[in-house]
Amino acid sequence: MKKVLIYIDPFIGHIIPTLGLSEKLVENQFDVHYCGVPDVTEIIAKTQFSCSTVFEEYYPKGTVQKDTEVNANVISSILNGELDELIDEIKPSILIMTAYNPVEAAAFYYKYNIKIFLLYFYFPVNTDFSNISFTDITKERAVNLLMNDNNVGAVNFFIDFLISEGHPINSLEDILSVFDHFYNIILSSPDFLTETPIINPHDLYIGDCLPKDNILVSSFDMESLKNKFYEQKRSGKKLIYFSLGSWADQINDEKAQLIIQNIIKSAGDPLLDDYVILIAAANLYERYKQHESDKIIMYKWVPQMEMLQYADIAVLHGGMGGIKHSIMNEVPMIIAPLDFDQSENADRVVAHRLGAKMDPFSMSAEEIVSKINEVQNNDEIKSGLKEMRNSFKEISENNTLMRLLSAEPIY
């Protein structure tokens, strides 16, 4: 049985999709083991998959990792063999890890000669995918990290190791050439892009990758909520699901405040008399829990995929997780983007007739109500959602990745 090691960063929106991928791997007779910092393994320990904690001394529980940082201690640990015992025990033939840690991926490759597959959870911003491949995107990110003055220590460890191992290092390109050997796993359908992307043999789109076993459900009283929704549906109420993700206040607190305040105000509009708004407030819960009423249901968090099975409309921040969940449940979306890839995702939602986009700074409660009326029962949006769902399902059922992982040699 082939062994797969998954090394993942501690964002819940990144961890959950890997569980869907891991379920597929197990179905195809792979043995899956996770490793990560404590915030990762705390979550994985609740699943069917085995896991090992690494780099705890550098990233203790609760540490926020910066996306511009390459931790010199982590690179040194990998290259100096501090993970030898773990690698010897697991004996992985494949390593899957996030594309946003390319320097760490290169370190694993040079140290252990493991076949690397990089995971893309969202589309990098400001990118025309018809003009650049994912391999070149990864190279660009690696260059930016290697040239960052804050990462000099990590770069020096890397170069010293390569020289000691006899690798010819005459230019930066010599280091970057390693990425030509890596495969890229994109957790989407290429049809979600508005351009026709370059798709190289190393680029593998695998669709939604939603796990069947949602670990978030086990600690949530779904039965009580289902009964509540049943009663509301029976009385003719419709459900608006609202979420800005798990760390909206850290992304852009000002925008997050404006959006949640206006969504709460919109509940009092007579045009929404037939609606109930479920708000998954995450870190904003304590600030707004007092607004719970017969029109507003407040939670710190809810299992999003399951909630969207009951929703008539979703108001979201535009992360790929929520968008994919809405597509797979064919729920019309209103996107109020906070930052990162979210504005571009909102434009894609509009372009593919999946919903509408709103500007958090100019939006009002009245505009929210207007957008809800715009997207509800819109035949074009219903058709667009069905088409996109079929695209995601079709590419998810394509077994190219599993055939590739099973093949020997991969490269």
Side-chain angles (χ1 to χ4, degrees):
M1 181 178 287
K2 273 194 174 182
K3 304 289 185 69
V4 178
L5 181 62
I6 298 180
Y7 175 79
I8 194 67
D9 54 61
F11 298 112
I12 189 70
H14 292 181
I15 296 171
I16 296 297
T18 70
L19 300 178
L21 173 58
S22 296
E23 287 174 355
K24 290 184 178 181
L25 287 166
V26 170
E27 289 172 5
N28 285 269
Q29 307 304 307
F30 289 90
D31 185 11
V32 176
H33 186 90
Y34 278 80
C35 70
V37 300
D39 286 317
V40 171
T41 52
E42 180 182 50
I43 295 172
I44 300 302
K46 300 173 184 176
T47 73
Q48 61 177 298
F49 305 108
S50 59
C51 60
S52 300
T53 300
V54 295
F55 310 134
E56 184 172 10
E57 61 270 44
Y58 314 127
Y59 290 107
K61 192 175 181 304
T63 303
V64 177
Q65 295 187 22
K66 299 177 181 178
D67 62 0
T68 57
E69 176 188 81
V70 180
N71 192 307
N73 292 314
V74 169
I75 298 301
S76 174
S77 295
I78 297 170
L79 296 177
N80 288 338
E82 293 180 25
L83 299 183
D84 285 358
E85 185 176 340
L86 173 65
I87 298 298
D88 288 342
E89 179 185 351
I90 304 301
K91 293 183 173 57
S93 55
I94 296 158
L95 173 64
I96 297 175
M97 64 184 299
T98 175
Y100 305 104
N101 298 123
V103 179
E104 289 88 338
F108 271 108
Y109 177 80
Y110 278 116
K111 175 63 179 178
Y112 297 110
N113 195 29
I114 301 177
K115 299 162 187 174
I116 305 287
F117 286 72
L118 299 178
L119 273 172
Y120 284 83
F121 302 96
Y122 56 86
F123 293 109
V125 298
N126 300 321
T127 302
D128 180 354
F129 296 93
S130 65
N131 289 327
I132 188 169
S133 71
F134 277 90
T135 294
D136 287 332
I137 290 170
T138 303
K139 285 182 177 181
E140 284 187 0
R141 174 158 175 76
V143 168
N144 291 335
L145 290 168
L146 292 170
M147 299 300 290
N148 188 321
D149 289 342
N150 294 326
N151 297 327
V152 169
V155 172
N156 288 339
F157 275 127
F158 212 132
I159 292 174
D160 288 346
F161 174 83
L162 294 177
I163 292 173
S164 69
E165 293 292 309
H167 295 285
I169 303 297
N170 299 311
S171 67
L172 188 59
E173 185 58 35
D174 290 330
I175 299 176
L176 298 178
S177 63
V178 66
F179 296 108
D180 294 325
H181 299 296
F182 297 175
Y183 281 83
N184 305 300
I185 302 175
I186 302 102
L187 303 181
S188 180
S189 164
D191 293 335
F192 184 66
L193 294 169
T194 52
E195 67 268 40
T196 301
I198 294 172
I199 302 181
N200 291 331
H202 280 210
D203 298 335
L204 307 165
Y205 287 82
I206 64 170
D208 58 87
C209 218
L210 302 177
K212 296 175 184 176
D213 181 18
N214 190 341
I215 59 171
L216 300 180
V217 173
S218 60
S219 57
F220 194 86
D221 188 357
M222 282 298 301
E223 197 60 36
S224 172
L225 206 56
K226 284 179 182 178
N227 291 335
K228 184 181 291 189
F229 291 149
Y230 175 76
E231 291 300 323
Q232 290 168 350
K233 293 287 185 181
R234 194 171 66 170
S235 64
K237 298 289 187 182
K238 296 179 181 178
L239 177 67
I240 300 169
Y241 172 75
F242 171 80
S243 172
L244 295 179
S246 57
W247 51 305
D249 58 321
Q250 297 176 51
I251 297 176
N252 192 315
D253 190 60
E254 182 182 5
K255 283 185 182 179
Q257 299 288 338
L258 287 171
I259 297 168
I260 195 169
Q261 288 166 12
N262 280 305
I263 198 77
I264 288 171
K265 287 179 186 176
S266 72
D269 194 297
L271 292 175
L272 295 188
D273 281 347
D274 292 333
Y275 288 87
V276 173
I277 304 175
L278 187 151
I279 298 178
N283 292 339
L284 300 173
Y285 176 76
E286 293 299 327
R287 299 190 219 180
Y288 293 100
K289 63 182 180 181
Q290 74 273 16
H291 292 283
E292 176 127 25
S293 67
D294 60 342
K295 294 291 299 294
I296 297 174
I297 307 171
M298 293 289 300
Y299 283 96
K300 186 170 185 179
W301 67 270
V302 293
Q304 182 167 261
M305 184 64 181
E306 283 68 23
M307 286 302 96
L308 286 168
Q309 295 174 17
Y310 301 95
D312 297 281
I313 295 170
V315 181
L316 306 167
H317 66 303
M320 278 301 295
I323 287 175
K324 287 192 291 187
H325 292 163
S326 297
I327 289 170
M328 300 314 291
N329 283 294
E330 298 185 38
V331 177
M333 288 168 267
I334 297 171
I335 307 295
L338 296 175
D339 203 346
F340 306 133
D341 61 322
Q342 297 160 15
S343 184
E344 292 178 39
N345 285 340
D347 292 336
R348 293 165 185 141
V349 163
V350 172
H352 292 302
R353 300 170 293 120
L354 309 175
K357 177 182 180 180
M358 299 185 72
D359 180 352
F361 285 126
S362 64
M363 70 190 297
S364 63
E366 292 75 20
E367 187 184 3
I368 291 172
V369 174
S370 175
K371 288 294 183 184
I372 289 170
N373 288 326
E374 178 185 322
V375 303
Q376 69 173 346
N377 301 319
N378 183 306
D379 289 338
E380 282 197 351
I381 290 176
K382 287 180 181 178
S383 176
L385 286 163
K386 188 176 291 293
E387 289 175 12
M388 191 61 69
R389 181 176 186 268
N390 289 339
S391 172
F392 271 85
K393 281 187 67 178
E394 182 178 347
I395 203 161
S396 296
E397 292 164 1
N398 186 321
N399 223 25
T400 301
L401 173 61
M402 297 304 159
R403 288 195 296 270
L404 184 61
L405 291 171
S406 298
E408 283 290 354
I410 291 177
Y411 52 77

